[in-house]
Amino acid sequence: MRELIVAGGFSALVMIPFMVFVAAGWPGEQNSCVTDTDGGRIANSCYCEEFNPTDIGNPGVRQPFNTWSNLYSLATGGILALFVFLQRKKGLPPSDNRMRSTDFYPLLYIAVIIFLGLGSMWFHASLTEWGGIVDNASMYTFTNFIIFYTLVRMTDVDWLFYIGYPVATVLLIITAALGADSLVVVLFSVGAYAILQLLIVLFMPKVRNTVGPWLYFWLPALVSIGLATLAWVLSQTGGPWCLQTHAFQFHGLWHWLAGAAAILLYFFWRAAPR
């Protein structure tokens, strides 16, 4: 049951303080997106959903749909935790694949994909600067995981992950606090992962997947993250998919499709020789 304990415990660790802030109010400065302009045309760049700037800091949730749509990650994390638990109980034979033969990587990845959604809630609910940093951290913990896990697959050296993953994640969070564009950072990270994956395909037959997992998992993951990025861009304030006062917000597609890509990558890794 360790997988379900990790999923439930980590979800509670993130959601309990979140709900405390929802009830008591959100301290800190308002996010810079509130006052961003584009030649006076756009009142803010806070991903479209309408809110009252005077409510920032008060109890409650500033952007309900953009906030609560992230609860999908409780389902994705729970489903993955249940799958990993059931597979472990089968007593699978030893393997060079760390997603099948170790506890560390799958358990950590369960927490990562849960945080990918729940971390975003802190920004959309609060619209504070520090809430935005938590949101960025949730994306960077994911993008750095796919990079450093791929490096471990390529090198068979775990310390690259143990040291590189936390250091790189902290450094990127610092850049977020200093005002780095999160979209640029995410796209750069995804590009770095794609280059590593290409190197595996070209030069590492003992590591690369067979055709099946590419078709069933990796390509759908690529399409999902591509569509997610498209939704992220087009649903920004002033964009063609921006419907500020509607109950449904297209920015939620970014959340859901990114979560789908994260799950697909797990099954892609699990199907690999290493």
Side-chain angles (χ1 to χ4, degrees), residues 109 142 217 220-226 228 256-266:
Y109 195 60
F142 171 69
F217 305 126
L222 180 64
V223 171
S224 291
I225 202 64
W256 300 334
L257 290 168
I263 288 287
L264 288 165
L265 281 177
Y266 166 79

Side-chain angles (χ1 to χ4, degrees), residues 5-261:
I5 292 173
V6 167
F10 184 77
S11 297
L13 183 66
V14 178
M15 286 300 296
I16 289 174
F18 173 83
M19 295 306 299
V20 169
F21 283 117
V22 169
W26 300 89
E29 298 181 0
Q30 67 181 18
N31 195 275
S32 60
C33 72
V34 177
T35 54
D36 282 346
T37 60
D38 181 8
R41 286 192 305 108
I42 298 176
N44 65 72
S45 60
C46 300
Y47 303 102
C48 183
E49 188 171 8
E50 187 177 51
F51 62 92
N52 186 343
T54 61
D55 287 339
I56 295 175
N58 294 333
V61 171
R62 304 289 77 85
Q63 294 184 315
F65 189 89
N66 285 347
T67 298
W68 301 118
S69 61
N70 281 293
L71 288 176
Y72 81 87
S73 61
L74 295 178
T76 55
I79 290 170
L80 183 57
L82 181 60
F83 177 84
V84 174
F85 166 72
L86 293 175
Q87 292 301 306
R88 182 172 58 82
K89 293 299 288 184
K90 287 182 178 180
L92 296 177
S95 169
D96 290 333
N97 185 307
R98 288 164 171 79
M99 283 297 178
R100 297 200 303 264
S101 61
T102 73
D103 289 331
F104 174 75
Y105 291 101
L107 289 177
L108 178 59
Y109 195 60
I110 289 168
V112 165
I113 65 170
I114 291 173
F115 189 45
L116 181 63
L118 299 190
S120 176
M121 297 177 70
W122 291 67
F123 166 69
H124 291 294
S126 69
L127 293 182
T128 61
E129 280 294 329
W130 69 272
I133 293 173
V134 174
D135 183 12
N136 288 330
S138 70
M139 291 186 288
Y140 300 158
T141 53
F142 171 69
T143 56
N144 279 338
F145 187 101
I146 67 176
I147 290 172
F148 282 94
Y149 184 69
T150 303
L151 284 172
V152 169
R153 292 182 59 215
M154 296 172 71
T155 63
D156 205 25
V157 177
D158 289 288
W159 66 261
L160 286 174
F161 190 98
Y162 300 152
I163 297 175
Y165 177 65
V167 169
T169 302
V170 169
L171 289 177
L172 287 185
I173 293 172
I174 292 173
T175 67
L178 295 176
D181 188 320
S182 57
L183 177 58
V184 172
V185 174
V186 169
L187 291 178
F188 178 84
S189 299
V190 171
Y193 162 72
I195 291 172
L196 294 176
Q197 192 62 62
L198 179 61
L199 292 175
I200 290 175
V201 171
L202 294 177
F203 305 112
M204 305 188 72
K206 293 183 179 180
V207 179
R208 65 177 176 235
N209 292 69
T210 57
V211 174
W214 282 93
L215 294 177
Y216 305 145
F217 305 126
W218 196 87
L219 287 179
L222 180 64
V223 171
S224 291
I225 202 64
L227 292 175
T229 303
L230 181 67
W232 185 7
V233 172
L234 296 181
S235 65
Q236 293 194 55
T237 310
W241 290 5
C242 176
L243 306 170
Q244 284 185 298
T245 61
H246 284 218
F248 175 82
Q249 294 292 312
F250 279 97
H251 185 70
L253 295 177
W254 154 251
H255 300 154
W256 300 334
L257 290 168

